[in-house]
Amino acid sequence: MASTVAAISTPQNTGSIGIIRISGEDAVTIADRVFEPTGKRRLTELEGYRAAHGFVVYEGERLDECVALVFRAPKSYTGENVVELSCHGGLFVLKKVLRAVFSCGAVPAGPGEFTRRAFLNGKLDLTEAEAVMELINAQNEQGAKASLSALEGALSKKIDALSGRLISASAQLSAWVDYPDDEIEELQEPVLSKMLCEVESSLSSLLDRFDAGTAVTRGVETAIIGKPNVGKSALMNLLSGYEKSIVTGIEGTTRDIVEGTVNLGALVLRLADTAGIRSTGDEVEQLGVERAKARLERAGLVFAVFDLSRPLGPEDEEIITLCKGKRVIAVLNKNDLPTVADEARLKKLFPVHAALCALDGDGLAQLEEKAERLLCTKELDTSQAILSTERQRKNAESALSAVRRARRTLESGITLDAVNVCIDDAIGFLLELKGEKAGDAVIDEVFSSFCVGK
Ligand code: GDP
């Protein structure tokens, strides 16, 4: 039997209200040991969905005045008995109350333990549990909407629909292969092929939306790169809305990476302002240049900044080379000054470009529009199913490969049981995506990113 766990569920900070959540079979009994109601009925006498006003008292000492909410299994977030003590929001008092709850029989909840219990008790599937975390971390309207629809089951329903079609085909194929003498209707090849094509195209479009989906939920790692003095820090500050990076005319000022998360339209950008790329004898600056290159390597979006007021130099050429194969927007900066650089060449090299004056923000709207278009976030319908984590993407991709294999096997005329093996693989990956067949390691990994108390 799982133990009864407790944790502070509100932020580890001072607030007007702080909530201690207790979940498990003994939640109500344990809460009852520290809770003295103002009214006549003790917590143990309350049915679910009831609130009681009272005091937290431990070893004769009144610790706080609070409201206790009682939920009875299975009608609670975790599916277990749950009590939430809404106390005053000072951390000192909250910790004292929590210690009293531990002394009365609860044990500390691990990261994401309440949501994990909800998952294990069938209240949520794994995609919905992941959506809880996405919703908590949402940085903008689009991200919150996408996470909320995942929490309401948009992705789950889509995966159910796809796996449902594969499961019924597989069942029919198995019956037909296993009982050839029975009068089981053969699954017609064109029907099977059509179904596989449709599932394939649904999975493909889900995967196509992954980048746009994560761009509005988790954010895109974005590297700002360029030679020294092109206006990288000015761009960082413009996007951040305040002076985050030091802007000077002195080369080599930004030596390490300056980071920040900003909204650009519907996009969430996890920005990194990097050291200006150039050859330098300064050891510290050289380290910064190496870090800038590494950041560029792993970035999902690159703002390659060029200074229109100066001719392009060897460092610009290096940046042009480094950007090959990356998702890049060339930022043609200092367009308030007379143009000296070969602008036409830059525009040809970088089909996606935006002219900008990073000092006053002229051109920012255009940069925003280009970034949204490049990441396809404009047309993203957040009420639809969206894959939002790398785990989900990998499972969907493996399912897609298996469906493609099934279709190719069918087309090449190999026996139907070989087709069925591929269909079964695809079903396995889809069930794993929802958590129905996920192993402990996968589940541990998902919940390790959760905070304590959620
Ligand atoms: P970084 O080394 O690439 O980070 O460049 P900074 O952001 O520090 O800018 C270098 C210099 O260029 C500073 O003196 C800025 O004021 C100036 N600067 C940056 N952007 C612009 C711009 O759009 N127009 C003009 N005229 N000057 C700019």
Side-chain angles (χ1 to χ4, degrees):
M1 188 186 63
S3 47
T4 295
V5 291
I8 299 173
S9 278
T10 34
Q12 295 289 321
N13 218 324
T14 307
S16 53
I17 289 179
I19 296 177
I20 287 172
R21 192 188 257 165
I22 312 165
S23 178
E25 180 149 358
D26 299 330
V28 185
T29 328
I30 290 172
D32 182 66
R33 288 183 193 136
V34 296
F35 184 80
E36 266 184 14
T38 336
K40 289 199 182 74
R41 293 170 77 196
R42 302 205 61 87
L43 288 186
T44 43
E45 296 165 51
L46 294 186
E47 50 272 46
Y49 297 138
R50 289 289 184 277
H53 172 263
F55 293 88
V56 179
V57 180
Y58 183 62
E59 290 184 336
E61 185 193 356
R62 258 191 190 187
L63 304 183
D64 199 5
E65 178 186 9
C66 79
V67 171
L69 284 177
V70 175
F71 302 85
R72 296 280 183 180
K75 293 182 178 174
S76 72
Y77 179 68
T78 57
E80 303 173 328
N81 289 332
V82 170
V83 177
E84 286 183 4
L85 300 174
S86 298
C87 303
H88 290 103
L91 256 191
F92 176 75
V93 174
L94 274 176
K95 283 184 178 168
K96 257 181 117 169
V97 174
L98 186 62
R99 274 200 297 276
V101 170
F102 289 154
S103 303
C104 291
V107 296
E113 182 143 4
F114 296 103
T115 311
R116 185 187 191 118
R117 287 178 177 220
F119 164 69
L120 294 174
N121 290 324
K123 287 272 166 183
L124 299 164
D125 67 31
L126 213 48
T127 65
E128 289 161 346
E130 283 166 321
V132 170
M133 206 56 207
E134 302 288 331
L135 188 59
I136 292 172
N137 291 332
Q139 307 271 348
N140 65 12
E141 188 74 21
Q142 288 269 82
K145 277 190 185 153
S147 315
L148 194 59
S149 27
L151 183 55
E152 285 168 349
L155 179 59
S156 285
K157 283 183 198 136
K158 180 85 192 172
I159 300 299
D160 279 346
L162 296 176
S163 56
R165 297 186 74 181
L166 294 170
I167 288 168
S168 79
S170 167
Q172 213 172 330
L173 283 175
S174 306
W176 189 76
V177 170
D178 294 345
Y179 307 102
D181 300 335
D182 289 9
E183 298 274 300
I184 296 165
E185 202 185 325
E186 184 186 353
L187 187 54
Q188 298 297 316
E189 266 187 42
V191 175
L192 182 56
S193 167
K194 182 166 174 279
M195 184 279 288
L196 289 172
C197 281
E198 285 167 4
V199 172
E200 185 178 326
S201 108
S202 285
L203 282 171
S204 288
S205 66
L206 248 189
L207 283 157
D208 287 345
R209 289 202 299 275
F210 175 72
D211 280 352
T214 47
V216 301
T217 52
R218 311 206 132 199
V220 204
E221 265 207 46
T222 308
I224 303 178
I225 65 150
K227 71 180 175 190
N229 265 340
V230 289
K232 296 180 297 301
S233 300
L235 174 61
M236 175 83 181
N237 291 345
L238 175 70
L239 294 170
S240 311
Y242 67 101
E243 298 280 311
K244 198 165 174 79
S245 288
I246 302 166
V247 175
T248 70
I250 305 161
E251 296 197 345
T253 308
T254 307
R255 287 160 164 248
D256 204 350
I257 291 171
V258 179
E259 295 178 307
T261 300
V262 303
N263 287 327
L264 185 65
L267 287 170
V268 178
L269 303 181
R270 296 203 307 277
L271 281 180
D273 175 17
T274 63
I277 291 186
R278 64 164 178 172
S279 308
T280 168
D282 181 320
E283 228 174 278
V284 178
E285 193 185 345
Q286 186 53 38
L287 256 178
V289 172
E290 293 311 319
R291 285 189 184 173
K293 289 183 183 168
R295 198 50 88 99
L296 166 74
E297 199 49 48
R298 63 171 223 233
L301 176 66
V302 178
F303 288 142
V305 187
F306 297 95
D307 180 348
L308 287 182
S309 72
R310 284 187 284 161
L312 296 178
E315 295 105 334
D316 293 301
E317 298 302 332
E318 187 182 358
I319 282 148
I320 292 169
T321 312
L322 287 171
C323 283
K324 288 214 169 95
K326 303 292 304 178
R327 192 190 276 139
V328 187
I329 300 181
V331 179
L332 312 178
N333 195 33
K334 306 198 189 180
N335 81 330
D336 53 314
L337 300 176
T339 299
V340 174
D342 187 348
E343 190 177 356
R345 181 166 166 250
L346 284 174
K347 286 183 171 168
K348 208 162 154 219
L349 283 167
F350 296 97
V352 188
H353 49 260
L356 183 76
C357 171
L359 287 187
D360 67 8
D362 187 31
L364 183 60
Q366 203 200 6
L367 180 65
E368 176 179 316
E369 203 221 304
K370 302 254 163 133
E372 285 218 81
R373 210 178 311 149
L374 192 60
L375 284 147
C376 306
T377 47
K378 266 257 180 314
E379 55 270 33
L380 184 73
D381 178 354
T382 47
S383 64
Q384 278 194 12
I386 293 172
L387 300 165
S388 63
T389 66
E390 193 52 31
R391 183 195 74 79
Q392 295 172 359
R393 190 192 65 73
K394 276 192 189 143
N395 278 140
E397 205 163 70
S398 306
L400 175 62
S401 307
V403 171
R404 283 196 175 128
R405 261 197 325 276
R407 193 172 50 74
R408 278 200 301 272
T409 310
L410 183 68
E411 280 165 8
S412 61
I414 304 174
T415 56
L416 283 180
D417 46 349
V419 177
N420 206 11
V421 168
C422 305
I423 294 180
D424 276 346
D425 282 349
I427 295 168
F429 289 120
L430 292 178
L431 293 183
E432 192 174 320
L433 200 162
K434 279 196 65 192
E436 284 173 34
K437 251 187 72 178
D440 285 348
V442 172
I443 295 166
D444 287 347
E445 173 70 27
V446 168
F447 289 100
S448 66
S449 63
F450 275 57
C451 40
V452 170
K454 187 63 232 172

